[in-house]
Amino acid sequence: MGGFFHTLGALFRRQDAPAPGDGVPDAETERLRALYRERCSRFRLLLSANKSALEIMADMEDALRGVRPFGMTYVRGACTRACASVFQIVRHLNVLSDDRWPELEAKFDEIRAGIEAVVAPHVRAGGGPLVLPIAETGVDLADQTGGKMANLGEIRRRLGITVPDGFVVTASGYQRFMEAGGLQEEIDRRVQAADATRLDEVFALSASIQQLILAAPVPDDLAAAVTAQVERLAGPLHAPHPGTGVCTGAEVRFAVRSSAVGEDSLDASFAGQYRSELNVPPEDVLDTFKDIVASKYGVTAMTYRLARGIPDEDVPMCVGCLVMVDAVAGGVAYSRNPLDLRDNTVVINAVPGLPKAVVDGSFSPDVFVVSREVPMQVAVRQIASKPQRFVRDPIEGVRLEDMPAHLVDAPCIDDARALEIAALAAGFEVFYGEPQDIEWAVCPEGVLTILQSRPLREARHDDLPEGECVPTGGAEGEEGPDAHPGGTTETGPLPGGYNCGESGPPVLLLGGTPVSPGAGAGLAHVVRKDMDLLSFPDGGVLVIERALPRWAPLLSRASAVVAEAGGAAGHLASVAREYGVPALFGLPRATELLEHAGIVTVDADNRRVHPGRIEDLLGHAPRRNLMEGSPVHGALAAAAQLILPLHLLDPESPRFAPAHCRTLHDITRFCHEKSVEVLFGAPDATSPAAQRLGKQLRVNGTKLQYWLLDIDGGFRKPVPGPVVDLADIASGPMLALWDGMTAVPWAGPPATDARGFLSVMLESTVNPDLEPTAATTLANRNFLMISRDYCNLQARFGYHFCTVEAMAADNPHENYVTFQFKGGAASADRRALRARFVGEVLEARGFRADVKDDALFASLEGLPRDRILTLVRGVGYLLIHTRQIDMVAHNERVFGPIRDRIAADLAKIAPVAG
């Protein structure tokens, strides 16, 4: 588009060109030509900045309404770009108008200061202790120790329940480490430079930041504080730890775990997103501390924070260091059924050895469902095959060992232990006042030890479509999976009854564990390694062997998840429920059977995978906006209140003035209106020469609401007076545009349904940002700047706003077409459907189209003159024949006949090569 400036300059450098008003230029005409030369250039720059500002605002609206994730880098960047564009608009208007509105800059500065206050980084106060013993923590210190370690301290101090002894590196300790040597500053710089929405860039960013953290030295004061706590806990060899239930061997080992501020909350569990290291020797605790801090910038954690709208600065990585429990059995207990909190049961997942296999989804666990009725009793036992278990390695870390043959299919805990765990879980729920998700372990002496307790999030239940199959469960007391999470069935008939009738769609897989309810459909995509994440399609069905937390970055893009192994207590299952993604685990051979299955429908509620897309099983609720209610979303929403709303509606009102601008959109609207007034309203209306520069278009003897400003060469001959006939227009792009607008008579507004009419009336009544054609001398006009090879249209058709710009010169490298379109009288969803439809039509004709809600921005460049003119003719047709179709756009199907009609018309009046 830079060709415009080159051409405009060339036009005005042609000193031998006659004035547009006379055969021979007089001094007054030359003076006005020089004035318009500067003003046209400034106006073009103002329009460019105006386009950028509106694109940024449309993108912000899209971010607030949609489901795509974004971080504070986006929020601050969008606000900065919006401010920069609006500042350019103000500056160009001031030059264009000889500083007629000097108060605009002061108003802009006031609004910008308000935006900056909203999006400024949160500075956390320091000064607290670098480390704290677990015995001194509690929920009142959660901002310093993180929720995970705060809850352990609370359980030990208030309830007297056995928890491991240990300590926590506090938020102050974390801050001390990150500020040393400018580490945090460098991390922030790298984060801001990367595109967090591209998974390949996130992988590279994650690796570089983690390497940076691991290479950083621990400050001496923090290292001394950590070492003192490690020495306190290790003590003499073989020393017991009274009251912890921890059974030590020759040397105390540690479990070093994340306890980030905000982790384990009800709104964002962060399940499995950070690292935990088990069986760490005392001498390795400091290095392991850095490993855990580095995991804050792992791919899973970064994508989770992005999807949940949590700023990096709001997540200080506190680190807990606990004496290691040498568990003979462990797992997770839910004080309520996570798929239905109204279910009066406690659900226990258990494995032999360390509980790692449950939380990371390595194996399918034993499941015990305990009725909460008094007295409690085990209602369901689902015993899995457990050929291996995780145990402490003699040197460090953990390892898998084979189970003795006689224990492979045996329960890893008995009913008495299950009832003890259930009673504890029910008690925790009473203590905290909400359902709990509890990690537990049993040491060799038989002491039950609590490793973690956090709020339990219920799976999201959307309304079921009419006729959907729902499990009814088996007979009372039957030992099967029923409707509880965790139970696994092999492929074959399902236990219990299903209200699906005798016939139904074909089934690819049957059985498994419904760990997150609902149904989803998409292209089955098997993921086995990290590189497979990069090729995962939007809306695909994630198919995996084991339900590992490392696959969590795909959940924001997945329509469903199928896994061969894993249970409802695993971290991936927790995040799937949090995201509202249907998930079915425990389906043997799933990767083999689904690898080339194409589109499939996963019905987690009924434990089935069907070929194809089964619409009757799919709900129609929109995808959950995970960002809504988050800190990042809140920051953007607050900043948007100073950017997006439009309050200046009537240019004829005395309130249409800089003093009444409350947002950047107000300033943009004011500047655009006044720039048109300055440019197309003659600088000296009494001057005959001035009257000769701006012309009203006349067609077949009728004067139309189109005003033309001839930059140079746009008219075939000198045109005296205030009116120019269409026959006297020489501008190729304008004539092509007009041909398209008039080639097919417009049949008038489409016939609307009742909902469409009510949508228009309601939107006109309640939407303060909607501006119909106002009763003002300028608002009723459409304006064109033209030259022989150039055209710029600023038009308003009823409730619709559009800009068309085109260059069609002899040099193809200078040629381009741009089209902007926004607005409409119907509701936002109907306007958005119309914008997407027009974008699809233009893309089929070779344009690049970007649609944000009801705003369309399309462009194309670098084609020969004749091809450009043909495309401009098509744009002219679309201008006229797509207005008001938002009134009938209640769903995509209504566009079928409209699409066919438009395609047929365009093939006749503006055919393009396929």
Side-chain angles (χ1 to χ4, degrees):
M1 298 181 192
F4 169 80
F5 295 101
H6 172 77
T7 303
L8 184 63
L11 291 171
F12 281 125
R13 284 193 296 272
R14 289 163 50 191
Q15 298 299 322
D16 58 335
D22 295 306
V24 179
D26 57 27
E28 179 66 6
T29 300
E30 282 300 309
R31 182 184 71 81
L32 289 176
R33 175 180 291 283
L35 181 61
Y36 269 105
R37 179 187 313 162
E38 170 62 20
R39 289 188 174 180
C40 285
S41 178
R42 283 290 171 183
F43 183 66
R44 180 64 181 82
L45 293 173
L46 185 148
L47 290 181
S48 178
N50 184 79
K51 173 178 177 291
S52 296
L54 293 179
E55 286 177 340
I56 295 163
M57 292 178 194
D59 191 67
M60 293 174 72
E61 289 177 333
D62 182 66
L64 286 169
R65 294 174 184 169
V67 295
R68 76 167 202 242
F70 56 89
M72 285 304 298
T73 298
Y74 167 81
V75 174
R76 293 176 184 132
C79 291
T80 299
R81 292 193 304 276
C83 288
S85 294
V86 175
F87 176 75
Q88 292 294 323
I89 294 171
V90 171
R91 188 182 69 172
H92 293 312
L93 178 64
N94 283 339
V95 173
L96 193 63
S97 66
D98 297 326
D99 288 319
R100 191 181 304 178
W101 297 280
E103 64 272 32
L104 261 179
E105 286 198 17
K107 179 56 69 172
F108 168 79
D109 288 339
E110 176 187 324
I111 295 172
R112 181 182 61 184
I115 295 170
E116 290 175 348
V118 168
V119 302
H122 173 67
V123 179
R124 183 174 294 271
L130 302 180
V131 300
L132 275 176
I134 291 296
E136 298 178 16
T137 65
V139 293
D140 56 323
L141 294 176
D143 283 349
Q144 269 296 306
T145 65
K148 188 180 295 182
M149 294 301 120
N151 280 337
L152 280 183
E154 192 79 1
I155 291 167
R156 174 173 175 167
R157 194 171 59 180
R158 297 276 302 277
L159 299 180
I161 303 295
T162 301
V163 302
D165 201 358
F167 66 94
V168 57
V169 179
T170 65
S172 296
Y174 166 80
Q175 190 173 347
R176 176 75 180 92
F177 172 66
M178 296 298 283
E179 289 178 352
L183 183 58
Q184 186 66 64
E185 184 178 345
E186 175 60 20
I187 290 172
D188 291 343
R189 185 190 67 78
R190 297 188 187 191
V191 169
Q192 291 167 9
D195 182 355
T197 63
R198 290 186 50 182
L199 202 52
D200 56 342
E201 289 199 26
V202 175
F203 269 104
L205 176 66
S206 171
S208 72
I209 292 178
Q210 291 192 76
Q211 290 171 5
L212 195 68
I213 292 172
L214 295 177
V218 178
D220 291 343
D221 53 349
L222 178 58
V226 170
T227 300
Q229 288 295 320
V230 169
E231 291 175 349
R232 173 184 70 83
L233 293 166
L237 295 183
H238 308 287
H241 290 269
T244 67
V246 176
C247 313
T248 62
E251 184 181 43
V252 171
R253 300 295 177 89
F254 296 95
V256 185
R257 310 185 66 179
S258 67
S259 184
V261 172
E263 186 180 0
D264 290 349
S265 69
L266 181 61
D267 292 331
S269 69
F270 284 88
Q273 305 308 299
Y274 302 130
R275 287 182 64 178
S276 290
E277 294 294 337
L278 304 178
N279 204 34
V280 176
E283 63 272 17
D284 291 343
V285 167
L286 273 176
D287 285 339
T288 308
F289 159 75
K290 292 196 292 183
D291 289 337
I292 307 305
V293 171
S295 74
K296 176 181 175 179
Y297 294 97
V299 172
T300 56
M302 293 177 72
T303 55
Y304 181 88
R305 287 196 300 273
L306 182 69
R308 297 310 315 275
I310 300 171
D312 280 358
E313 60 260 29
D314 285 2
V315 189
M317 178 57 79
C318 309
V319 178
C321 187
L322 307 174
V323 175
M324 183 72 187
V325 177
D326 191 13
V328 296
V332 170
Y334 296 130
S335 68
R336 298 276 174 174
N337 182 346
L339 303 185
D340 183 3
L341 297 186
R342 296 163 296 183
D343 183 14
N344 196 29
T345 59
V346 175
V347 181
I348 301 168
N349 292 257
V351 292
L354 301 172
K356 171 180 169 63
V358 172
V359 296
D360 72 5
S362 300
F363 307 125
S364 297
D366 292 346
V367 177
F368 297 82
V369 179
V370 179
S371 170
R372 292 165 61 106
E373 299 292 336
V374 179
M376 284 185 167
Q377 60 179 349
V378 177
V380 176
R381 302 172 191 81
Q382 185 68 37
I383 308 305
S385 178
K386 302 170 291 295
Q388 293 180 306
R389 62 185 172 191
F390 281 105
V391 298
R392 292 175 57 182
D393 187 86
I395 300 176
E396 63 178 327
V398 299
R399 61 183 175 88
L400 277 173
E401 73 172 16
D402 293 334
M403 289 284 288
H406 68 286
L407 295 179
V408 169
D409 296 315
C412 60
I413 59 174
D414 57 22
D415 283 6
R417 181 69 73 185
L419 292 173
E420 179 188 7
I421 295 169
L424 199 63
F428 276 27
E429 180 178 312
V430 172
F431 176 72
Y432 283 106
E434 59 186 344
Q436 293 291 296
D437 169 352
I438 301 160
E439 186 179 347
W440 56 271
V442 179
C443 79
E445 282 84 6
V447 177
L448 179 62
T449 303
I450 300 303
L451 306 179
Q452 178 177 327
S453 185
R454 61 185 175 194
L456 173 61
R457 169 186 290 273
E458 181 180 16
R460 179 171 177 255
H461 291 269
D462 292 323
D463 292 336
L464 299 178
E466 184 178 354
E468 180 170 336
C469 308
V470 293
T472 62
E476 185 175 354
E478 177 179 339
E479 293 199 357
D482 294 311
H484 294 285
T488 302
T489 60
E490 298 296 332
T491 302
L494 290 173
Y498 285 81
N499 300 327
C500 300
E502 295 183 359
S503 62
V507 175
L508 290 173
L509 289 172
L510 180 66
T513 304
V515 303
S516 182
L523 180 66
H525 187 89
V526 175
V527 173
R528 294 188 175 91
K529 56 187 184 297
D530 286 345
M531 287 298 295
D532 295 336
L533 274 69
L534 301 180
S535 59
F536 187 81
D538 285 338
V541 171
L542 174 61
V543 184
I544 49 182
E545 294 176 356
R546 294 191 296 158
L548 302 176
R550 66 193 285 197
W551 309 133
L554 296 179
L555 291 182
S556 62
R557 297 162 54 198
S559 62
V561 186
V562 175
E564 295 183 0
H571 288 147
L572 192 68
S574 296
V575 179
R577 291 192 292 271
E578 195 173 314
Y579 282 28
V581 178
L584 187 58
F585 293 178
L587 284 171
R589 301 176 60 210
T591 55
E592 173 191 345
L593 296 174
L594 298 181
E595 184 148 25
H596 303 292
I599 302 293
V600 299
T601 297
V602 178
D603 181 3
D605 296 326
N606 293 297
R607 304 180 179 92
R608 287 171 164 86
V609 180
H610 302 278
R613 184 179 180 88
I614 313 299
E615 292 292 344
D616 289 343
L617 294 176
L618 302 174
H620 300 291
R623 183 70 181 270
R624 182 186 180 200
N625 185 354
L626 293 169
M627 299 291 297
E628 194 168 3
S630 69
V632 170
H633 190 276
L636 181 60
Q641 287 301 306
L642 296 170
I643 297 174
L644 301 180
L646 183 61
H647 307 98
L648 299 190
L649 302 178
D650 182 6
E652 296 298 303
S653 168
R655 295 182 63 83
F656 196 88
H660 298 289
C661 290
R662 293 153 55 187
T663 66
L664 294 185
H665 200 169
D666 287 338
I667 293 178
T668 301
R669 176 72 181 88
F670 177 86
C671 291
H672 184 269
E673 183 75 20
K674 294 305 179 182
S675 67
V676 172
E677 178 182 309
V678 168
L679 186 65
F680 288 92
D684 181 0
T686 62
S687 165
Q691 293 176 1
R692 290 196 296 267
L693 288 172
K695 311 292 182 182
Q696 185 176 9
L697 181 64
R698 182 169 56 197
V699 178
N700 297 328
T702 301
K703 290 189 286 185
L704 305 179
Q705 295 286 0
Y706 289 85
W707 270 258
L708 282 71
L709 179 64
D710 178 20
I711 298 173
D712 194 53
F715 297 163
R716 297 185 185 279
K717 62 181 181 180
V719 179
V723 177
V724 60
D725 286 303
L726 183 66
D728 292 330
I729 301 298
S731 172
M734 181 197 157
L735 290 174
L737 188 67
W738 193 263
D739 285 347
M741 293 168 66
T742 58
V744 179
W746 184 49
T752 65
D753 57 11
R755 287 179 298 171
F757 178 74
L758 289 174
S759 172
V760 171
M761 295 305 297
L762 180 64
E763 193 73 8
S764 298
T765 302
V766 304
N767 186 353
D769 296 346
L770 186 62
E771 183 184 0
T773 300
T776 163
T777 54
L778 288 173
N780 281 329
R781 297 181 179 185
N782 301 303
F783 300 99
L784 292 125
M785 285 194 302
I786 63 171
S787 72
R788 183 179 67 89
D789 298 324
Y790 173 78
C791 172
N792 180 297
L793 168 68
Q794 304 281 316
R796 183 195 311 272
F797 297 102
Y799 290 98
H800 310 139
F801 312 89
C802 70
T803 298
V804 179
E805 186 173 73
M807 174 72 74
D810 293 332
N811 184 355
H813 297 294
E814 293 188 346
N815 293 342
Y816 63 88
V817 186
T818 67
F819 179 40
Q820 300 175 57
F821 188 87
K822 182 175 174 60
S827 58
D829 57 334
R830 291 175 179 243
R831 299 199 310 268
L833 281 171
R834 190 267 311 277
R836 288 200 297 270
F837 168 73
V838 177
E840 290 169 2
V841 173
L842 288 171
E843 284 179 336
R845 298 176 67 78
F847 283 79
R848 292 187 308 276
D850 184 18
V851 177
K852 300 286 191 335
D853 290 325
D854 67 343
L856 166 67
F857 305 91
S859 63
L860 181 149
E861 61 275 328
L863 295 178
R865 172 184 170 84
D866 289 345
R867 183 75 180 274
I868 289 288
L869 293 177
T870 298
L871 291 165
V872 172
R873 192 174 298 113
V875 169
Y877 169 87
L878 290 172
L879 273 180
I880 300 301
H881 291 274
T882 59
R883 54 179 171 161
Q884 298 190 15
I885 63 173
D886 53 327
M887 296 167 66
V888 298
H890 54 85
N891 60 53
E892 295 281 359
R893 290 190 294 273
V894 304
F895 287 113
I898 298 173
R899 183 180 287 107
D900 293 341
R901 173 174 57 79
I902 287 177
D905 287 345
L906 288 174
K908 295 176 183 177
I909 67 171
V912 295

